Amino acid sequence: MAFVVRKNIHGNNYYYLNENKRIDGKVKTKTLAYLGKTRKEAERKAREIIKSLKKDKKSMDEKIEEKEILKEKNKETIKEYTDISIEEMAIFCKRKGFVYNSGEIYGGMAGFWDFGHLGVELSNNIKKEWWKSHVHSREDMVGIDGSIITNPKVWEASGHVFSFVDVAVVCKKCGNKTKVDKFEAGRIEKVKCEKCGGEFETKGEFNPMFTTQVGPIKEDSIKAYLRPETAQLIFTNFRYVYDNARLKLPCGIAQIGKAFRNEIAPRDFLFRAREFEQMEIEYFIKPEQKCPYGIGNTEILVYSAEMQEAGKKAAKMKFSDAYGKGIIKTDWHAYWLEQEFLWFIGLGANPEKFRIRQHIKDEKSHYALDTWDLEYRFPFGWKELEGIANRTDFDLKQHEKFSGKDLKIFDEDTKEKFLPHVVCEPSLGIGRAFLVFMFDSYFYDKKRENVVLKIHPKLSPIKVAILPIVKKKEFKKIAKEILNELKNEFNVIYDESGSIGRRYSRQDEAGTPYCITIDADSLKKKDITIRDRDTSEQFRIKIKNIKETVRKIIEGGNLSNLGKRINTRKKIS
Ligand code: ATP
């Protein structure tokens, strides 16, 4: 509370505005302003100052309140989702046309999957978004598309023929067949069956590469491999791509494509398949080159090798701190881990279900100096979603040795030739990303009594469904005109069968973010209703503005700023 005081100094009066405040249990007086030499002038000035202080306080309070409201709102925007098991997800995916067991009419085949009419769209959208953010929007990245079968020497040089080995194990108690790596096999008595906790018995080593014969006449053919990863084609093409694309270090080469592994126990739906797709980057630097990009303050659960070895729990921290404290050793690793995490979050994945885990010493692959995995909490536990290894110059060195070709590049500064180092290799399986986006979108809405797949509009298989309210000729005509206008740019569908509620729920389950309905008003007023999948809110939009509106809302625009909200409750009654 502020008050006016008079001070007499050498016989003259001076007025001040003071305020008492309790600080650490003691009342302290603070002078806020000098008010002049007369009481009248002082009281007038005091009134003005107190009024402006009150105004400031009010606006400060309002700001705090706004912040609180925003916080609450953000809480609300963290998507609701329903926990389901991987088996339930596989059933849902089959029922809606996302994924089928390959060759199912003949009994299927373990580890092979076919994407249906919705699944192929989601998978393509994942690849499109990944390519856009990792290749097109970066000046330091280009892409390639290597072949699936290549000269088998490639796999000798890479170490896959001799070192890419898993050990088959069987649980003595429940008979569960699975694989462990060589490190785990060396201490098999400590590894317990994830199904029943029983002990394992080792059944020998196996190389998961599929072999084939190139050349139809057996005597003239050679044994070749279906690639177990896309990465090697980037290394074998490195010099050509580097020169032709006029790249400068630091830079990356990206690739999306199929990989094959003859897994001993394919399981957990798309998580462990025998044929799958990868999105990979080899990021090359001059040895010791610093990362020119910032490391941000995004928070994530961090589980370093040291924490694991000391039996500690993962700890939440900022990427910048994890690097600053030396937990993540290189700026490049911190940078790429954060980028990969942000890519998922930007497309609607739930940040609470992610962590980064460093490989412990004996777990690392034969080529890796250091590896961190971006892990996701699947219904069957924390599992690797994406591996990010530091492969050093291992691969280029090996290919130089085996091919006898010079793969070095010229350093303009030192005027010497050298082999670039792959400081990070982000390697992500599309099937695992597909599952993340599905699990974090799947929501059973009790009120609507159907699943609402709240998938990010950029990933949604169908962007807009166009639904004439009734099958009248004039309604259908408008619907078809809208369909024709949108279909060149977006994947849109037309549906006139069944009640409007039935059609909405069909689209909710397919993850279609927007439904457009054409009704009697559309004929008179030349506008339509657009319904938001996540909120069921409906807005009226002029037909001439539809394309622009759809463009904006898919990019994250808000329908309430683009159309006129309509009261659906009133409409129903
Ligand atoms: P895991 O330990 O789970 O077998 P990995 O360490 O062998 O995986 P990488 O060689 O690092 O896997 O492959 C890179 C990425 O490719 C993985 O993070 C994963 O997303 C994907 N991937 C690997 N194997 C499979 C598989 N059998 N099915 C589906 N995706 C896979």
Side-chain angles (χ1 to χ4, degrees):
M1 178 75 178
F3 53 92
V4 177
V5 291
R6 178 173 57 89
K7 281 187 188 168
N8 190 290
I9 303 167
H10 307 305
N12 294 320
N13 285 334
Y14 298 93
Y15 290 88
Y16 295 88
L17 183 65
N18 280 7
E19 184 188 45
N20 283 345
K21 258 196 170 167
R22 189 174 286 276
I23 299 169
D24 296 334
K26 288 183 187 156
V27 176
K28 290 198 173 159
T29 304
K30 190 178 157 198
T31 299
L32 298 175
Y34 168 64
L35 300 173
K37 291 181 182 173
T38 67
R39 176 162 288 277
K40 202 170 163 194
E41 186 193 359
E43 282 176 352
R44 183 183 55 77
K45 274 193 181 167
R47 271 195 302 277
E48 278 170 15
I49 293 170
I50 289 169
K51 200 169 152 193
S52 82
L53 281 175
K54 275 188 180 160
K55 210 167 132 194
D56 280 357
K57 185 169 178 314
K58 191 171 166 237
S59 80
M60 192 57 87
D61 286 348
E62 274 168 8
K63 272 190 192 141
I64 291 170
E65 203 179 318
E66 260 172 35
K67 253 190 172 170
E68 290 304 313
I69 292 172
L70 218 73
K71 251 192 192 167
E72 275 305 302
K73 252 195 165 163
N74 279 341
K75 244 192 235 163
E76 276 168 29
T77 56
I78 289 189
K79 278 184 325 192
E80 297 160 291
Y81 65 91
T82 310
D83 277 323
I84 56 166
S85 68
I86 190 78
E87 291 79 16
E88 286 165 325
M89 178 55 81
I91 291 167
F92 175 77
C93 283
K94 184 176 170 190
R95 176 168 72 77
K96 288 306 296 180
F98 279 94
V99 184
Y100 309 110
N101 202 332
S102 189
E104 196 178 299
I105 56 167
Y106 296 101
M109 199 166 187
F112 297 92
W113 300 96
D114 295 339
F115 289 93
H117 74 293
L118 294 180
V120 68
E121 297 293 339
L122 173 55
S123 164
N124 283 345
N125 290 340
I126 292 171
K127 289 186 262 183
K128 197 170 81 189
E129 287 305 317
W130 188 89
W131 198 261
K132 210 158 64 182
S133 77
H134 289 79
V135 182
H136 288 173
S137 69
R138 298 185 64 112
E139 287 173 30
D140 57 348
M141 197 83 69
V142 295
I144 65 157
D145 186 9
S147 78
I148 284 169
I149 296 171
T150 184
N151 190 312
K153 283 235 159 58
V154 169
W155 306 110
E156 285 173 33
S158 68
H160 282 84
V161 173
F162 305 109
S163 308
F164 189 45
V165 172
D166 283 321
V167 180
V169 292
V170 180
C171 174
K172 291 183 199 167
K173 207 166 142 193
C174 72
N176 173 27
K177 281 189 198 146
T178 187
K179 69 164 188 184
V180 295
D181 57 34
K182 272 185 147 180
F183 161 64
E184 286 176 315
R187 40 167 219 143
I188 199 67
E189 62 293 340
K190 291 196 182 142
V191 186
K192 297 283 174 268
C193 171
E194 51 189 16
K195 283 199 171 158
C196 72
E199 282 180 13
F200 281 127
E201 185 187 347
T202 50
K203 289 281 174 193
E205 294 184 353
F206 74 100
N207 187 313
M209 279 200 293
F210 280 97
T211 53
T212 186
Q213 159 194 322
V214 176
I217 300 163
K218 200 153 185 229
E219 305 83 74
D220 301 337
S221 69
I222 58 161
K223 179 181 159 192
Y225 304 94
L226 303 195
R227 65 184 183 193
E229 60 172 30
T230 64
Q232 289 310 317
L233 286 305
I234 297 180
F235 295 119
T236 53
N237 286 298
F238 169 71
R239 269 305 303 273
Y240 297 126
V241 180
Y242 187 82
D243 291 344
N244 291 334
R246 300 165 57 79
L247 294 173
K248 289 271 166 296
L249 298 177
C251 63
I253 303 177
Q255 185 174 202
I256 297 181
K258 292 257 181 181
F260 303 81
R261 293 185 192 175
N262 204 353
E263 298 277 358
I264 180 166
R267 61 177 51 165
D268 296 322
F269 190 29
L270 301 176
F271 180 84
R272 187 167 302 289
R274 285 178 165 142
E275 174 178 337
F276 55 97
E277 270 188 295
Q278 289 182 314
M279 307 189 279
E280 293 196 304
I281 290 169
E282 300 304 326
Y283 200 85
F284 299 93
I285 63 161
K286 236 190 243 184
E288 311 301 328
Q289 194 166 21
K290 296 299 287 173
C291 173
Y293 311 111
I295 300 158
N297 290 331
T298 326
E299 285 197 333
I300 193 162
L301 270 179
V302 176
Y303 204 19
S304 67
E306 206 180 307
M307 288 168 172
Q308 294 164 65
E309 278 152 0
K312 289 186 188 159
K313 281 192 173 159
K316 201 162 211 182
M317 63 181 87
K318 294 174 181 160
F319 280 95
S320 53
D321 288 343
Y323 171 60
K325 290 178 185 163
I327 297 169
I328 302 177
K329 295 286 178 302
T330 71
D331 45 0
W332 286 107
H333 238 132
Y335 167 73
W336 274 110
L337 283 162
E338 187 179 28
Q339 289 307 301
E340 295 309 283
F341 174 54
L342 289 175
W343 182 76
F344 275 101
I345 304 317
L347 288 170
N350 179 353
E352 297 303 319
K353 287 160 84 180
F354 285 77
R355 76 174 182 190
I356 53 171
R357 188 184 71 81
Q358 187 179 23
H359 282 202
I360 54 175
K361 199 166 145 263
D362 297 310
E363 184 188 353
K364 282 182 291 200
S365 307
H366 59 277
Y367 50 75
L369 180 70
D370 189 13
T371 300
W372 283 81
D373 288 341
L374 182 63
E375 292 193 335
Y376 177 83
R377 206 177 63 236
F378 285 95
F380 43 92
W382 284 106
K383 296 282 170 194
E384 172 180 339
L385 175 59
E386 173 167 9
I388 305 183
N390 179 343
R391 290 180 87 126
T392 67
D393 58 354
F394 174 86
D395 301 88
L396 289 180
K397 229 187 212 160
Q398 287 291 99
H399 288 302
E400 268 203 333
K401 200 165 118 192
F402 279 70
S403 69
K405 298 274 160 39
D406 180 6
L407 301 179
K408 295 182 192 68
I409 59 169
F410 187 70
D411 187 339
E412 294 292 343
D413 299 331
T414 61
K415 308 289 176 212
E416 279 176 12
K417 288 175 98 184
F418 71 102
L419 277 183
H421 280 225
V422 166
V423 70
C424 275
E425 179 205 45
S427 174
L428 169 63
I430 292 162
R432 293 189 191 180
F434 186 109
L435 289 177
V436 167
F437 293 122
M438 289 297 281
F439 278 121
D440 287 352
S441 306
Y442 185 100
F443 173 65
Y444 183 77
D445 190 316
K446 283 192 191 131
K447 258 200 227 150
R448 296 188 214 176
E449 295 184 339
N450 60 254
V451 172
V452 183
L453 201 61
K454 296 190 172 188
I455 204 154
H456 194 293
K458 286 185 184 171
L459 298 179
S460 291
I462 300 163
K463 307 298 181 207
V464 179
I466 302 158
L467 323 170
I469 287 273
V470 286
K471 287 186 196 167
K472 279 191 184 163
K473 215 169 85 195
E474 54 279 31
F475 288 30
K476 281 166 61 169
K477 183 172 172 279
I478 296 179
K480 290 283 180 177
E481 278 165 9
I482 296 172
L483 181 81
N484 286 335
E485 195 188 346
L486 294 182
K487 76 179 181 196
N488 290 335
E489 199 170 323
F490 312 101
N491 187 30
V492 292
I493 61 145
Y494 172 88
D495 184 6
E496 59 174 38
S497 68
S499 71
I500 193 69
R502 183 80 202 89
R503 281 182 275 166
Y504 279 155
S505 62
R506 214 178 277 152
Q507 295 309 320
D508 283 348
E509 296 202 325
T512 308
Y514 305 106
C515 287
I516 286 176
T517 46
I518 292 98
D519 55 23
D521 273 355
S522 306
L523 307 177
K524 287 182 256 160
K525 298 186 185 159
K526 303 218 173 316
D527 59 6
I528 49 85
T529 296
I530 184 160
R531 170 190 179 264
D532 181 301
R533 172 197 66 200
D534 297 350
T535 61
S536 298
E537 285 179 317
Q538 301 192 7
F539 298 85
R540 216 59 200 175
I541 306 264
K542 288 280 169 214
I543 292 176
K544 66 175 175 12
N545 296 336
I546 285 181
K547 201 169 192 173
E548 193 52 34
T549 306
V550 171
R551 232 178 245 149
K552 283 185 182 155
I553 49 185
I554 287 171
E555 287 302 319
N558 198 330
L559 260 180
S560 54
N561 301 328
L562 301 164
K564 199 169 156 227
R565 188 188 303 269
I566 56 172
N567 187 343
T568 46
R569 238 180 289 161
K570 201 170 120 206
K571 234 180 136 210
I572 290 160
S573 66

